Amino acid sequence: MDYERIKEKLSILADAAKYDVSCSSSGSKRKNTTKGLGDSSGMGICHSYTEDGRCVSLLKILLTNHCIFDCAYCVTRKSNDIKRAAFKVQEVVDLTIHFYRRNYIEGLFLSSGIFKDADYTMERLIQVAKKLRLEENFNGYIHLKSIPGASDELMREAGLYADRLSVNIEIPTKSGLKLLAPDKKHEDFIKPMEKVKNEIIQYKQESLFIKSTPKYAPAGQSTQMIVGASGESDRDIMYSANFFYKKYNMKRVYYSGYVPVAEDPRLPALNSKVPLLRENRLYQTDWLLRFYGFDIRELLNEQNLNLDLEVDPKLSWALRNRHLFPVNINRVEKQLLLRIPGIGLKSVNKIVQARKFRKLNWEHLSKIGIAMNRAKYFITCDSREFEVKEPSSEYLKNVILKTSSGKFRKETGTQLSLF
Ligand code: SF4
């Protein structure tokens, strides 16, 4: 093996892959039942993130950065004058196994530019996964990026070897896609997503009756959208995400702040900042939709096309709905408890449990770990100590901002925590 060449390929193709954030490895269970290598469990693979929030716990590479397409936002686009490289199938297999044995990685995230056409490229991605599973007996995590436009047959095969499949929609609206990626068609994303969704359902149903049914993409499918490349509002982005969650049973939608990679009048200027705070607010909104019972229209609508960057989306919603507050923490139903700013999912469950035994006071709530600087203005307890007298939401917002840490006040250069 020419190690120098492999090293060079690795540096080119790992660098090109860093723009894809859709590589979370959670949610897969693949036990090492034979004498094989690796084991990915539900808690599974640990994630680690680079400073700008990109996941690095998997061997994350492109099979090639050659591409026949010319998507304006992509560093791999054919018109970009960059060094090109391509791995052979066996090279990716060997790298994965070697890195795994050395404990560098816990799985593989494999994406690719488009070599010749969608099927030609997809076939090679599948060959990598198939060799790892069947020849190397590799039971670690595999995430394959599906190539838009790949045939149904290949999508079916891919899911038999990969834990997760993703088809990245990249641009949240059809009009944005037409503008920035004229070679791509909306249907090219939708068809593979539909196929994967149906196969997952079918294999799950079969497994109820036939024990030996193989697993099909057990960690489900995900997609990624680039934020801030094509002028979409947060409402456009989140309505698209909501559509993909509902229609295609997405496990996750990832939001990736656009990293300026090209001088192009259709795109933000090269020196524009990556919208990391906006990205973070979208992730928070995503969580509110999936775990807190919010309807998308409550958070983003005609009057609120974009999320407030100063405060988190739950606080922003509560400030717009002051008539629902304050609520008595000892009596309020769980549905509304989940909507109180500063109270997360875990705290809600603790409160529900604890109040079965006694009336909670401020001290109890503090101990439970709720963010009192926000929550106290929206709840009552045994005392009226914090009851809000200020009628104006704008005033209250300012009070909260003054007593909050810097993360609510200014955009920072690093990824923020979700809550
Ligand atoms: S098809 Fe994919 S890899 Fe090729 S230019 Fe478009 S986004 Fe980049």
Side-chain angles (χ1 to χ4, degrees):
M1 208 192 284
D2 180 349
Y3 288 107
E4 280 312 305
R5 181 61 189 141
I6 297 282
K7 242 166 88 180
E8 195 189 354
K9 284 188 194 182
L10 195 56
S11 83
I12 296 169
L13 296 171
D15 190 59
K18 75 182 177 202
Y19 298 98
D20 197 327
V21 298
S22 64
C23 62
S24 162
S25 56
S26 54
S28 176
K29 275 194 178 126
R30 186 180 291 277
K31 278 226 171 318
N32 186 349
T33 44
T34 57
K35 285 182 183 155
L37 181 69
D39 185 349
S40 60
S41 65
M43 297 298 287
I45 295 158
C46 305
H47 302 153
S48 66
Y49 294 88
T50 59
E51 223 176 34
D52 62 353
R54 270 69 191 173
C55 173
V56 290
S57 62
L58 310 171
L59 170 60
K60 185 178 173 185
I61 48 172
L62 299 189
L63 187 65
T64 182
N65 66 343
H66 289 281
C67 194
I68 54 171
F69 284 176
D70 205 29
C71 309
Y73 49 83
C74 177
V75 73
T76 301
R77 69 194 183 280
K78 70 176 176 197
S79 62
N80 200 11
D81 185 16
I82 50 166
K83 261 191 172 177
R84 305 276 172 178
F87 278 122
K88 291 180 185 142
V89 167
Q90 191 58 46
E91 287 171 344
V92 180
V93 172
D94 291 343
L95 274 175
T96 308
I97 295 298
H98 288 154
F99 281 14
Y100 195 95
R101 284 193 201 284
R102 282 179 209 152
N103 224 5
Y104 291 170
I105 54 153
E106 294 175 87
L108 170 70
F109 173 80
L110 185 61
S111 181
S112 185
I114 303 177
F115 273 121
K116 209 162 139 188
D117 57 43
D119 277 357
Y120 182 87
T121 312
M122 194 69 216
E123 261 170 32
R124 267 140 199 84
L125 297 180
I126 294 169
Q127 274 176 34
V128 171
K130 196 169 175 178
K131 269 178 174 277
L132 280 168
R133 295 286 189 229
L134 303 186
E135 293 177 19
E136 303 292 341
N137 209 358
F138 180 71
N139 292 295
Y141 184 82
I142 299 179
H143 180 156
L144 289 187
K145 173 82 170 297
S146 314
I147 304 299
S151 66
D152 279 1
E153 203 32 60
L154 289 172
M155 292 311 297
R156 197 191 66 79
E157 203 182 356
L160 293 173
Y161 303 110
D163 292 281
R164 175 166 285 184
L165 295 167
S166 57
V167 190
N168 287 354
I169 189 88
E170 306 286 18
I171 299 298
T173 58
K174 281 188 194 174
S175 53
L177 189 73
K178 204 165 166 194
L179 180 73
L180 297 179
D183 305 325
K184 283 181 174 171
K185 291 197 285 297
H186 190 69
E187 309 78 75
D188 291 345
F189 302 100
I190 298 305
K191 229 176 108 234
M193 280 181 191
E194 181 83 44
K195 177 72 182 165
V196 172
K197 179 189 107 173
N198 292 337
E199 292 290 349
I200 290 174
I201 294 171
Q202 200 177 323
Y203 274 84
K204 264 196 188 144
Q205 280 171 350
E206 266 181 41
S207 70
L208 297 176
F209 306 102
I210 308 167
K211 258 199 152 181
S212 58
T213 305
K215 285 171 189 269
Y216 183 90
Q221 62 173 332
S222 60
T223 192
Q224 171 187 269
M225 287 191 250
I226 296 174
V227 174
S230 39
E232 285 91 358
S233 65
D234 291 339
R235 186 184 67 155
D236 295 333
I237 294 167
M238 288 314 304
Y239 276 54
S240 280
N242 200 41
F243 170 78
F244 288 118
Y245 275 124
K246 294 219 156 107
K247 182 102 191 256
Y248 299 106
N249 299 346
M250 284 292 152
K251 267 275 159 44
R252 286 294 305 272
V253 175
Y254 292 87
Y255 310 92
S256 172
Y258 173 65
V259 181
V261 291
E263 185 84 70
D264 187 309
R266 293 169 294 174
L267 289 165
L270 267 182
N271 58 0
S272 7
K273 271 187 165 177
V274 180
L276 287 175
L277 184 53
R278 186 177 176 200
E279 181 187 298
N280 185 255
R281 292 284 180 244
L282 291 167
Y283 275 117
Q284 288 175 321
T285 308
D286 184 291
W287 276 67
L288 292 182
L289 297 179
R290 289 191 297 138
F291 302 115
Y292 287 75
F294 278 88
D295 183 284
I296 182 68
R297 288 163 298 191
E298 295 177 276
L299 302 169
L300 289 157
N301 45 46
E302 271 304 316
Q303 291 74 45
N304 302 283
L305 290 177
N306 287 301
L307 296 164
D308 189 336
L309 291 181
E310 289 186 307
V311 296
D312 69 74
K314 202 206 288 193
L315 176 55
S316 175
W317 172 84
L319 288 168
R320 294 197 304 270
N321 289 279
R322 294 273 309 283
H323 58 282
L324 298 174
F325 299 101
V327 290
N328 187 316
I329 203 74
N330 289 302
R331 287 202 295 270
V332 62
E333 65 205 37
K334 190 173 175 187
Q335 208 187 1
L336 193 47
L337 195 52
L338 280 161
R339 290 171 171 239
I340 301 169
I343 303 189
L345 211 51
K346 274 189 188 162
S347 301
V348 165
N349 290 331
K350 282 185 193 167
I351 290 168
V352 170
Q353 280 307 315
R355 71 185 184 182
K356 282 183 191 163
F357 302 100
R358 63 175 306 157
K359 279 196 169 173
L360 303 179
N361 59 33
W362 298 113
E363 205 186 332
H364 296 135
L365 293 176
S366 254
K367 280 190 183 146
I368 281 172
I370 71 172
M372 291 293 283
N373 68 324
R374 277 170 283 160
K376 67 185 181 184
Y377 299 110
F378 298 90
I379 53 182
T380 55
C381 235
D382 275 352
S383 80
R384 303 178 75 85
E385 193 186 341
F386 293 118
E387 201 165 310
V388 188
K389 304 282 188 312
E390 301 82 14
S392 141
S393 289
E394 200 49 43
Y395 182 88
L396 184 53
K397 178 177 166 181
N398 283 330
V399 171
I400 293 173
L401 282 171
K402 272 191 198 131
T403 54
S404 298
S405 62
K407 75 173 181 177
F408 291 114
R409 267 177 277 167
K410 59 175 192 280
E411 186 165 345
T412 59
T414 52
Q415 190 81 330
L416 303 173
S417 70
L418 281 176
F419 290 99

